[in-house]
Amino acid sequence: MMRAESKNLEKAFWRLSKYIESNTIHYVENCISCGICYEICPAYHLDHKYAPAPIGEWFRRFYRRQLNPIARVLGKLAHAYPLTIENLMKAREYVYRCTNCGACYMVCAAGIDSGHLALLTKSLINDAGLTPQVLKTLNEMELKMTYLTSKVQDLYGKLIEEIKKIAGGEAHINEPDRSVYIPISVCDLVFAKDVIISTIRILEKLGITWTIPDVPVGIRPPMGYVIGDFTSYAALIRRIYLNAKELNCRIILVTDCGYMYPALRFEGPYIAEIEQPCKILSIVELLEDYAERGLLHLRKIADVATWHDPCMLMRRGGVEYPHAILEESTFFTKLKWSGKYSRCCGGGSHMFFLQEEVAKALSEVLEVDLVKMLEKDTFARKIAEFGYEMAKHRAQEIIENGPKIVITACTSCIFMLRKAISESTMPFIEVKHLAEFVAKNML
Amino acid sequence: MDLLTFVLWYLSIPTVAIFVGGMVYKVMRYALMARILVPKPEFRWREIAIRKGSFWDIGFWHWIKELIAVFLRPIIWSLRVNVLDFVGGLLMLHILGVILILFLVGTHVGIWFNYVPYLKLGIIDLTPLILLIEKIWFFLCLAVKYSTKVVALSPWSIIVIAGNAYVLALCVLAAIAYKFVDHLIKVKRGIINIRPGDFAALLLLLAVVLTGFLTAFSPITTPIPVQRLLLGLHVLFGEIFFMTLPFTKFSHFLFGYWYGKIHELYDAYAKRGV
Ligand code: SF4
Ligand code: SF4
């Protein structure tokens, strides 16, 4: 029984080996255990056991056992661990505490991305059936498109009506040859409807033509990125790329940061093995570019504002804070930990979906009982709590800066920070998406 | 045949062969595992370069700046958050200890010159570089001479170098002890990535440095067989170190570190524009 189980898990490792390339070998082999990366990791701040090198260590352990003959003979002495359910359960405790924020990569002495190793380990965990049920369900629904429930369609219909109101009666659904394609997701519908409305308002004002899909493109694609399911990850990338290609648009505009932006822009071609159909831009880049060129003007507000860098936008996406917009239109103050050294909001990767409120809101529209799944899953709840502790930590750093408004560009950052700030000593600090801010203050 | 004869005349060639074989194996794996045939994303640095100027004027300098930044960032970060580790790990172990001792202590320089006459590698002549390093080293010697009152007959004499090596060797020994204790504390704290291999590597380094230290600074009256044994042990440990280098974490200074930083430059800066 044990042998059969181990054989199956080993097969999972071989399936994954397609994604084991030279940089993966580097991440596996060249950690010198110097500990420089520890301090920057949000998980380490909460529990010193969970630092980047130990988080990456689990993949190294499995790799050594599978691919390093000397380590295989030496066994645990060389930290070569067999792929068993028991070991994967232990690994889960580590890698699910990583939000894949990429901070460790920025300061690692040897250029090691421990978040990437965590993602590969999650893939093995997923193949062993140990992924929290909530995440597994969301991933499956996204892949099979069963998320298109009547409630989702209803909500999308309402959004289209609102869009028509601000766009001269047209919703430009699947209209070819437009400049910008906005891949709207279920999470946009539920958590960031105003962001979509604001984006369209801005595009209209700037005279940029746009189009939207006839149905949401996913729940928050690619969900496979969150749990290390590379099949579904690749499928979702293809889905969005092909939509954009058919429509012959010039730009895929990502309004949510999440992981969608780096996944589409930088990882997509590698994962899905398909060419990018067009340019992929974050709304932050697009607006900043217009502001820099003097094509976007905002009124100056009398508030002290700050920018929270979404990890996936800054460290995994290279998008810096929109200084031309923020420095012109607010009394801007930079957070102590910002840019490359910014801290995660605690909602990165899977963390967002494990929050009870998120599960509840998604349950309502997706017509599945995610809350019940979460209730039954003590591991998932423990991880959700861990993520929320990170959010409180980040909220405290923001509070110390004393802004009136925090501007950012990611659904999970907004959700986590709003929650943590509302329960802090400064609950009146507003957290807003850049698109909402610009739409409100555009001249 | 004593140990020194054996390690110098019989073990040196196999050592180099194993080392070269190991390194070739290591580098080949990286080359063969590269996924070069998959589609590439649009690289962000081009955009940055176009926005800031052409590649050869501003874009080019961006590359140089970023190249320096990927190397400096961890150093600055470590100085910012963990000064003890900066001093123990980087300054004492890497810069003062290993780099200076390995490449600038007179006897070692002599060995390098012996293996690579005048350090001429094919058409590349490294002599000017060596002369420059010698000059820097000369002033360092002076500084150490006058600051620590090391007895010296002349600035560039063997005694000064030995005097400096003495200080440097103590630095490495202290740094190895620091790393050992640091690893032990981490293990005690439940940090799982510290392996028995990490301790073994430190012990091997300790063996190399300690035997070298004892060889260089044993009193002149030490019997010749003992001196030869000490030197034999030093060379033996050095050869074990060298042989296993491609397979231990120490390979970072030949390959892993450089590969990692260049990959980071490509992935984070060129591709993503971070
Ligand atoms: S990616 Fe972020 S959370 Fe994960 S190990 Fe690195 S610093 Fe920690
Ligand atoms: S900084 Fe890099 S090399 Fe050092 S312990 Fe962390 S992952 Fe390993």
Side-chain angles (χ1 to χ4, degrees), chain A residues 332-377:
Chain A
F332 183 69
T333 151
K334 218 171 179 178
L335 290 175
K336 184 179 169 205
W337 299 105
S338 59
K340 293 184 184 85
Y341 307 103
S342 172
R343 280 203 215 283
C344 179
C345 67
S349 190
H350 53 278
M351 292 287 194
F352 170 70
F353 299 99
L354 298 180
Q355 302 301 314
E356 204 185 324
E357 297 86 339
V358 175
K360 203 167 163 196
L362 287 177
S363 292
E364 274 168 26
V365 295
L366 296 175
E367 295 167 12
V368 278
D369 201 345
L370 300 171
V371 179
K372 201 166 195 174
M373 289 176 202
L374 207 53
E375 265 166 21
K376 280 204 235 153
D377 193 339

Side-chain angles (χ1 to χ4, degrees), chain A residues 22 26-27 29 32 36 61 79 105 107-109 261 265-267 270 279 285 315-317 341, chain B residues 29-30 35 42 44 47 73-74 77 192-193 195 249 257 260-261 263 266-267 271-272 274:
Chain A
S22 36
H26 159 65
Y27 298 157
E29 289 183 348
I32 47 171
I36 288 178
R61 289 177 168 186
H79 279 208
Y105 186 30
V107 299
C108 171
Y261 177 69
R265 179 153 186 182
F266 303 111
E267 318 296 351
Y270 289 107
K279 227 176 163 48
E285 284 170 290
R315 280 185 293 253
R316 300 240 182 252
Y341 307 103
Chain B
R29 266 174 51 243
Y30 280 74
R35 283 178 80 206
E42 169 209 17
R44 165 75 64 52
E47 231 178 68
R73 215 177 289 138
W77 176 255
I192 60 161
N193 64 303
R195 293 177 288 150
K249 63 194 239 177
Y257 175 64
K261 289 288 136 183
H263 173 261
Y266 155 80
D267 180 52
K271 190 162 99 183
R272 298 167 203 265
V274 179

Side-chain angles (χ1 to χ4, degrees), chain A residues 224-291:
Chain A
Y225 186 95
V226 163
I227 59 168
D229 178 347
F230 286 95
T231 313
S232 110
Y233 184 171
L236 265 291
I237 295 282
R238 264 185 229 117
R239 188 186 295 170
I240 297 171
Y241 277 12
L242 292 178
N243 278 358
K245 197 171 177 178
E246 259 172 42
L247 295 174
N248 192 29
C249 61
R250 281 197 306 114
I251 296 167
I252 299 177
L253 186 66
V254 183
T255 53
D256 183 6
C257 153
Y259 33 82
M260 191 185 200
Y261 177 69
L264 280 179
R265 179 153 186 182
F266 303 111
E267 318 296 351
Y270 289 107
I271 300 295
E273 297 186 45
I274 175 174
E275 296 281 349
Q276 269 172 357
C278 58
K279 227 176 163 48
I280 291 142
L281 286 185
S282 150
I283 180 85
V284 181
E285 284 170 290
L286 184 104
L287 297 182
E288 178 67 358
D289 182 44
Y290 270 70

Side-chain angles (χ1 to χ4, degrees), chain A residues 10 64-76 78 80:
Chain A
E10 281 183 14
R64 286 184 200 115
R65 167 76 183 201
Q66 298 303 320
L67 292 172
N68 184 333
I70 301 172
R72 196 184 174 105
V73 173
L74 291 174
K76 284 195 179 172

